[in-house]
Amino acid sequence: MIAVPSIPTLETERMVLRGWREDDLDALVDLFGDADVCRFIGGTKDRAATWRQLADYAGHWMLKGYGPYALSLKENGELIGYCGPWDPVGKHEEPEITYGLRAAFHRKGLMSEAVRACVAYAYETLKWPSVLSFIDKDNAASLGVVSKLGARHDGDAHLYGVVPVQIWRYPRPVGVV
């Protein structure tokens, strides 16, 4: 019998942040097949590569006890993206909050809502001493999200030793020790 970790569900005003399911693949294929959406996350992926990415997200929960969540709308359950704690081997010495959203759901404040919930989860539940995201300096949409949430630029880094990014640290939510 395989021990499957219990993935806690988070809720925001408009979304449920939940564990991954096999039937999430088609929505992820839409996300990872969009060149504009994937411009800052390593480029597009075909269906097979997207399947492996879904497995990476699900497996991260198994191996680390946390990972990116599937973002689904409360109103209809539609998968719209991913967001959550992420710390693959070799990326950087600090874990981050990673995120991505299907193009049809951009510019609605949904990502800020999801990131806010994941930052609180990382501070409150995972007890991370610091919570950050790595952002490409030209990624205006993500820079808008981190700025909206009060994150501060805290230097630069190279993910996997080669991908230049900015480090953005989120403030501790009010009331979280």
Side-chain angles (χ1 to χ4, degrees):
M1 169 94 31
I2 296 173
V4 177
S6 174
I7 298 173
T9 299
L10 304 179
E11 289 194 28
T12 69
E13 181 182 341
R14 298 176 287 172
M15 290 173 287
V16 175
L17 287 67
R18 60 166 175 76
W20 293 94
R21 303 186 308 235
E22 188 172 1
D23 66 356
D24 291 330
L25 180 60
D26 287 337
L28 278 185
V29 167
D30 179 56
L31 189 157
F32 286 113
D34 186 316
D36 287 334
V37 170
C38 294
R39 184 170 40 148
F40 299 110
I41 58 172
T44 59
K45 298 180 188 319
D46 65 14
R47 187 172 187 81
T50 300
W51 168 258
R52 290 188 297 276
Q53 187 66 63
L54 187 156
D56 281 348
Y57 291 157
H60 203 277
W61 281 97
M62 177 69 86
L63 296 173
K64 296 265 192 176
Y66 60 84
Y69 283 99
L71 304 179
S72 62
L73 294 176
K74 280 184 176 178
E75 68 184 43
N76 60 14
E78 182 175 4
L79 182 87
I80 63 170
Y82 63 91
C83 182
W86 182 237
D87 190 22
V89 171
K91 184 174 187 177
H92 189 266
E93 61 268 11
E94 290 182 87
E96 72 163 323
I97 301 297
T98 187
Y99 52 87
L101 196 63
R102 291 170 56 202
F105 302 96
H106 286 189
R107 305 189 62 75
K108 299 176 188 306
L110 289 160
M111 191 49 67
S112 296
E113 194 174 311
V115 172
R116 182 179 291 112
C118 289
V119 167
Y121 178 77
Y123 275 123
E124 293 172 11
T125 303
L126 299 177
K127 304 297 185 198
W128 286 4
S130 178
V131 179
L132 59 89
S133 286
F134 300 111
I135 310 291
D136 184 290
K137 69 178 178 53
D138 295 324
N139 188 340
S142 284
L143 291 171
V145 169
V146 296
S147 295
K148 182 177 181 179
L149 298 178
R152 64 179 171 73
H153 181 226
D154 189 27
D156 300 313
H158 284 85
L159 302 183
Y160 303 105
V162 296
V163 180
V165 291
Q166 294 180 339
I167 300 168
W168 286 84
R169 293 196 189 274
Y170 299 97
R172 190 173 294 279
V174 175
V176 175
V177 183

